[in-house]
Amino acid sequence: MKRIILAAAAVAFATAAWAAPNTMTVPMGTSKILADAKDMTLYTFDKDTKGAAASACTATCPATWLAFVPAATDKADTDWTIINGLDKDGKTVVKQWAYKGQPLYYNVKDMKAGDTLGDGVGGVWHVVKM
C-alpha cells in the first residue's frame, strides 16, 4: 500500500482516530482511492471551489461530512494544502486538509475501513480516485 508521508492527525470521532492519508484498493474493484492510514475513505464535495481558502461545507453539512483535520505540526506541500473548514457543529473553524486543491472529508456513515457509503451522495460527494 502506498503511503503518503504526513504526520498523523489525532482527531477523534466515535471510537476511531484519524491518521495520515494513503491509498487503498476499493474492495469490489481495482481502482485505488484516497483514505487515511486506517483505511477510512476520504471524499470531495463538488460545491467546493478548487484552490479556495475555505470549505463550502457549511451550516448542517459538517455534521455528516467531517473535515479531515491535520495535526498541529503537519506542513503543507505541493499536493497537500491546509485550508479552513468547519467542525461538526457547523460553527467552529478548524484546519482541514485539501488534496490538489480539493478539501477532504469523512462521511459519518462509514463505520469501518473500506466503507464508501458517501460515494455519489446527492450527486456531489465522491471518493478520491487515484
Side-chain angles (χ1 to χ4, degrees):
M1 203 175 292
K2 178 183 170 189
R3 299 264 179 206
I4 297 171
I5 300 171
L6 294 174
V11 177
F13 173 73
T15 59
W18 309 137
N22 82 102
T23 58
M24 67 179 211
T25 303
V26 178
M28 299 302 288
T30 58
S31 298
K32 291 190 182 280
I33 62 171
L34 192 64
D36 70 10
K38 294 184 185 246
D39 289 338
M40 295 303 291
T41 304
L42 296 167
Y43 298 89
T44 58
F45 182 36
D46 286 349
K47 294 183 181 182
D48 281 320
T49 301
K50 188 173 182 175
S55 165
C57 182
T58 59
T60 60
C61 176
T64 302
W65 300 95
L66 306 171
F68 180 35
V69 179
T73 57
D74 286 345
K75 303 288 183 215
D77 66 22
T78 304
D79 287 338
W80 293 91
T81 55
I82 298 173
I83 64 159
N84 287 325
L86 292 174
D87 195 15
K88 63 184 176 181
D89 65 10
K91 298 175 185 173
T92 307
V93 175
V94 296
K95 296 298 179 189
Q96 179 175 359
W97 278 117
Y99 178 67
K100 295 187 177 180
Q102 290 294 126
L104 298 174
Y105 306 86
Y106 294 103
N107 180 277
V108 296
K109 292 184 179 179
D110 288 351
M111 300 307 287
K112 65 184 184 317
D115 280 354
T116 57
L117 299 173
D119 193 33
V121 169
V124 296
W125 291 95
H126 311 282
V127 298
V128 182
K129 294 181 181 172
M130 304 299 286

